């Protein structure tokens, strides 16, 4: 099964709760009235695109009705498809690679979102691209996080730089950057603590990590990726908002998109937070993390076949 087919299969529950629900609402009405529009708004909110994005889309619908772009209930679905696809495709979701390796990727996010697993899969993706990969265990607050990263390192054939539990995370990051440069590594991926700190603590810790990295590579980190769990829906948007106030996030990795009806959260993250979605995870397999392609995602979300 190709990745697009996996994506379509993974978005099945979202499609049922979102596009098929819109279809059912539309079929139930002979004309456009307030009840229909209320139901439509409710469907958008329940699909976890977020309240702000739902409001934005409903404003577009009202404008479309006024401009006679929408004349019957049947016109609503293609109209919304077009608007949602435009939101998904806004901005660039491409990943950044350093002109002169190593590319340094800092990974942040709360515990339980699949952060360490994402790092392993990300490392595997770059290995498949023929690049050398190093991992750094700068989440020093949990011994389990260090152990888990070592397991992934062994699995994908990547060196893991680590210190003891409770060590200074910035010190691990510094040693990792020095080692990556010395060994001509292409991609260095740094794990960080998965606690949702108070904003000031989070900011200070990440600032310190950034400072020590930049001593060695002034333009690094080249990416700061926030890992979010799609199954948490609206809460993922809230988390992204909190983290974006504390760290210069370059993009989002959305995990666990398969098996959730809340895939609409991708629309909310892009439209509400204007944040690139760089990677998506749609399964347990090591190769089920792939770069986000907005066009494919829109096709998979609205595809009936």
């Amino acid at each position: 099964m190709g990745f697009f087919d996996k994506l379509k299969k993974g978005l099945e529950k979202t499609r049922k709760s979102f596009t098929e629900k819109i279809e059912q609402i539309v079929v139930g009405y002979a004309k456009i009235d307030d009840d229909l529009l209320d139901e439509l708004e409710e469907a958008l909110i329940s699909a976890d695109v977020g309240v702000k994005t739902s409001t934005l889309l409903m404003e577009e619908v009202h404008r479309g009705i006024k401009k006679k772009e929408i004349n019957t209930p049947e016109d609503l679905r293609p109209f919304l498809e077009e608007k949602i696809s435009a939101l998904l495709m806004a901005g660039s979701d491409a990943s950044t690679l350093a002109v002169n390796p190593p590319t340094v990727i800092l990974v942040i996010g709360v515990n339980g979102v699949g952060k360490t697993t994402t790092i392993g899969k990300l490392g595997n993706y770059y290995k498949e691209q023929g690049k050398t990969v190093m991992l750094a265990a700068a989440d020093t607050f949990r011994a389990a996080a260090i152990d888990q990263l070592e397991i992934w390192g062994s699995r994908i054939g990547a060196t893991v730089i680590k210190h003891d539990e409770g060590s200074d995370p910035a010190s691990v990051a510094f040693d990792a950057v020095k080692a990556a440069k010395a060994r001509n590594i292409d991609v260095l991926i740094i794990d960080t603590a998965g606690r949702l700190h108070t904003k000031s603590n989070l900011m200070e810790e990440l600032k310190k990590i950034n400072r020590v990295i930049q001593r060695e590579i002034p333009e690094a980190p080249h990416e700061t990726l926030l890992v979010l769990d799609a199954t948490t829906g609206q809460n993922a948007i809230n988390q992204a908002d909190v983290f974006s106030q504390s760290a210069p996030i370059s993009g989002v990795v959305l995990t666990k998109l398969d098996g959730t009806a809340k895939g609409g959260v991708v629309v909310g993250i892009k439209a509400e937070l204007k944040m690139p979605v760089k990677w998506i995870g749609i399964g347990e397999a090591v190769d089920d993390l792939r770069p986000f392609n907005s066009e494919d995602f829109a096709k998979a979300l609205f595809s009936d076949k």
Side-chain angles (χ1 to χ4, degrees):
M1 190 188 287
F3 191 74
F4 180 71
D5 292 320
K6 280 186 183 179
L7 180 60
K8 265 175 70 175
K9 193 170 185 294
L11 288 177
E12 206 171 315
K13 286 187 181 174
T14 297
R15 209 161 38 244
K16 280 198 169 80
S17 78
F18 188 37
T19 50
E20 288 179 23
K21 199 168 181 182
I22 290 170
E23 193 66 46
Q24 286 163 9
I25 292 166
V26 166
V27 168
Y29 286 86
K31 62 182 177 63
I32 297 170
D33 59 18
D34 289 345
D35 289 343
L36 166 55
L37 296 176
D38 285 346
E39 270 200 67
L40 194 60
E41 185 165 18
E42 202 176 298
L44 290 169
I45 291 168
S46 65
D48 283 270
V49 300
V51 177
K52 282 183 187 171
T53 310
S54 299
T55 304
L56 176 81
L57 287 167
M58 289 311 296
E59 284 170 0
E60 290 283 356
V61 167
H62 284 289
R63 263 197 292 274
I65 293 167
K66 273 185 186 167
K67 290 180 176 178
K68 303 292 184 192
E69 292 169 10
I70 302 169
N71 299 299
T72 67
E74 288 73 33
D75 296 336
L76 283 164
R77 178 171 162 167
F79 181 86
L80 279 169
E81 274 186 37
E82 187 190 318
K83 297 299 176 189
I84 289 167
S85 295
L87 290 177
L88 283 167
M89 292 177 204
S92 171
D93 298 297
S95 291
T96 303
L97 286 173
V99 177
N100 300 307
T103 294
V104 180
I105 301 170
L106 199 62
V107 182
I108 63 178
V110 300
N111 286 328
V113 295
K115 184 164 55 72
T116 314
T117 302
T118 294
I119 290 167
K121 290 180 178 181
L122 199 55
N124 181 70
Y125 176 86
Y126 283 118
K127 289 281 282 190
E128 284 180 346
Q129 303 292 308
K131 298 188 184 303
T132 51
V133 174
M134 180 180 279
L135 309 179
D139 180 354
T140 58
F141 292 95
R142 294 184 308 130
I146 301 169
D147 294 343
Q148 198 184 354
L149 203 67
E150 282 196 292
I151 291 165
W152 270 107
S154 171
R155 189 174 174 187
I156 66 172
T159 304
V160 177
I161 303 297
K162 63 166 191 169
H163 289 189
D164 292 334
E165 182 186 359
S167 303
D168 178 12
S171 175
V172 180
F174 181 71
D175 284 355
V177 172
K178 294 266 294 182
K181 283 177 72 179
R183 298 178 204 182
N184 296 317
I185 295 292
D186 294 316
V187 180
L188 168 64
I189 308 171
I190 303 173
D191 190 12
T192 63
R195 304 166 304 159
L196 192 55
H197 316 44
T198 63
K199 285 179 198 171
S200 58
N201 285 350
L202 174 65
M203 177 72 99
E204 288 314 308
E205 187 173 293
L206 290 173
K207 269 186 186 169
K208 189 176 178 187
I209 290 172
N210 280 328
R211 268 199 311 274
V212 300
I213 290 170
Q214 282 158 9
R215 274 184 217 159
E216 290 297 312
I217 306 172
E219 63 276 15
H222 304 92
E223 292 272 16
T224 299
L225 299 175
L226 172 65
V227 182
L228 297 170
D229 178 346
T231 64
T232 63
Q234 180 63 40
N235 193 40
I237 295 176
N238 297 339
Q239 270 181 35
D241 192 27
V242 169
F243 270 101
S244 68
Q245 292 168 38
S246 305
I249 295 162
S250 63
V252 163
V253 182
L254 211 57
T255 66
K256 307 176 193 178
L257 263 173
D258 57 313
T260 179
K262 297 178 177 179
V265 69
V266 175
V267 185
I269 288 166
K270 291 212 65 172
E272 201 168 308
L273 301 176
K274 303 287 188 282
M275 209 175 268
V277 176
K278 302 228 170 181
W279 300 83
I280 53 171
I282 52 161
E284 297 299 317
V286 70
D287 59 352
D288 282 340
L289 181 81
R290 282 287 180 268
F292 176 70
N293 181 307
S294 54
E295 201 171 331
D296 282 353
F297 190 89
K299 274 185 201 164
L301 185 61
F302 294 110
S303 174
D304 290 322
K305 296 173 185 175

